[in-house]
Amino acid sequence: MRVAAVARRTIKASALPGGLLTHRRRGDLIVLLYHRVGDGAGEIELPAYLFEHQLAYLREHDQVVTLDDALRDRDGGVVVTFDDGYADFYNIVTPLLVKHSIPATLFLATGLVGRAASGFGALTWADLKDIASTGVITVGSHTHTHADLSRAPQDVCEEEMRRSKDLIEDRLGCACSHFAYPWAVSSSTADRVARRLFDSAAVGAWRTNRRGRVDPYRLGRTPVLRSDGRMFFQAKVRGLLDGEA
């Protein structure tokens, strides 16, 4: 793990010079992508202290906006998003978002609700009601089964998106207006369904959304990884690490 972390940081450092040419400019939109926060050691699992430091940095140094505001106002800024939905989002992430008054969108794979997977505790619908009631968190769709829609036929795309959307709206009593593709991959078929059912869709990683060229149905996101630490996280917020891809 130590060797892998060093290798990843080397890749990030090598990508920085190119980022000086393509850095975030006024009006550009950075959509940060998180997965889990807690005790795990994987790249997509951040320790709580690091996540809280990142939230404090965003609150002090940047303009953090809701996804709805970002799409409506087109003034740029930073949007915080999470994918999947495990118990850590209720136990760790939500209290920290509330503490720092940072709005966020949780893209929920509804089939995970009530079902632990890969050693991670499950969210319940009661948890999700509490999460939605905070006023700082919006719940969007991430399909029902975390399906790869890049080669799925239309009926599968329709079922995965609509089932997730309907469950969220029925169980939480709030609109489910936004969607994020699992694995950050799409297809023309999935795109047509998403445009019919949602107000936006996130697809693609390590991509800054440029002012005047933001397609709400092809939103790029920037993954936040454990090996980012503090320095590379700040570089990502500034749009300097799209080259990490």
Side-chain angles (χ1 to χ4, degrees):
M1 183 61 68
R2 179 179 174 82
V3 172
V6 170
R8 288 182 181 276
R9 292 189 180 101
T10 300
I11 290 170
K12 298 176 202 292
S14 67
L16 279 175
L20 296 175
L21 299 176
T22 59
H23 64 88
R24 173 182 164 199
R25 295 170 175 82
R26 183 178 179 84
D28 288 348
L29 176 65
I30 299 286
V31 183
L32 298 176
L33 165 57
Y34 290 90
H35 282 87
R36 292 189 288 274
V37 176
D39 298 329
E43 267 293 279
I44 62 172
E45 300 165 78
L46 273 64
Y49 77 85
L50 179 59
F51 178 61
E52 182 164 20
H53 171 83
Q54 293 173 353
L55 294 183
Y57 175 84
L58 291 173
R59 173 55 57 195
E60 182 176 354
H61 297 285
D62 220 306
Q63 177 186 4
V64 185
V65 296
T66 67
L67 183 53
D68 284 315
D69 285 345
L71 296 174
R72 179 171 53 247
D73 298 335
R74 306 296 174 92
D75 289 332
V78 175
V79 171
V80 174
T81 69
F82 271 80
D83 279 4
D84 302 337
Y86 289 102
D88 66 284
F89 191 86
Y90 180 71
N91 298 327
I92 302 173
V93 174
T94 297
L96 291 175
L97 291 171
V98 171
K99 175 182 177 181
H100 292 276
S101 300
I102 297 287
T105 297
L106 168 63
F107 289 112
L108 178 68
T110 47
L112 296 177
V113 179
R115 180 174 64 85
S118 303
F120 300 104
L123 283 173
T124 67
W125 286 110
D127 294 338
L128 286 158
K129 285 185 178 180
D130 287 345
I131 287 167
S133 71
T134 63
V136 300
I137 298 165
T138 300
V139 181
S141 167
H142 198 43
T143 73
H144 183 66
T145 67
H146 202 273
D148 180 347
L149 300 184
S150 63
R151 297 184 180 180
Q154 180 168 333
D155 61 330
V156 172
C157 294
E158 182 88 30
E159 168 67 14
E160 286 285 343
M161 294 187 203
R162 186 174 290 281
R163 186 176 183 186
S164 177
K165 177 181 173 70
D166 288 349
L167 276 169
I168 291 167
E169 293 182 340
D170 290 346
R171 294 291 192 126
L172 303 184
C174 57
C176 176
S177 303
H178 305 292
F179 178 72
Y181 290 93
W183 316 109
V185 292
S186 180
S187 69
S188 58
T189 300
D191 179 76
R192 287 194 296 272
V193 177
R195 289 174 186 266
R196 179 158 43 84
L197 295 179
F198 300 99
D199 293 339
S200 77
V203 60
W206 286 283
R207 180 163 57 83
T208 299
N209 301 280
R210 301 298 179 183
R211 180 181 184 180
R213 291 181 283 159
V214 177
D215 181 344
Y217 292 96
R218 297 197 64 81
L219 290 173
R221 291 195 289 172
T222 302
V224 180
L225 303 174
R226 187 183 191 91
S227 59
D228 291 339
R230 299 185 180 189
M231 181 182 73
F232 291 120
F233 171 77
Q234 294 175 21
K236 286 186 172 181
V237 171
R238 294 167 58 198
L240 295 172
L241 273 178
D242 288 3
E244 184 181 16

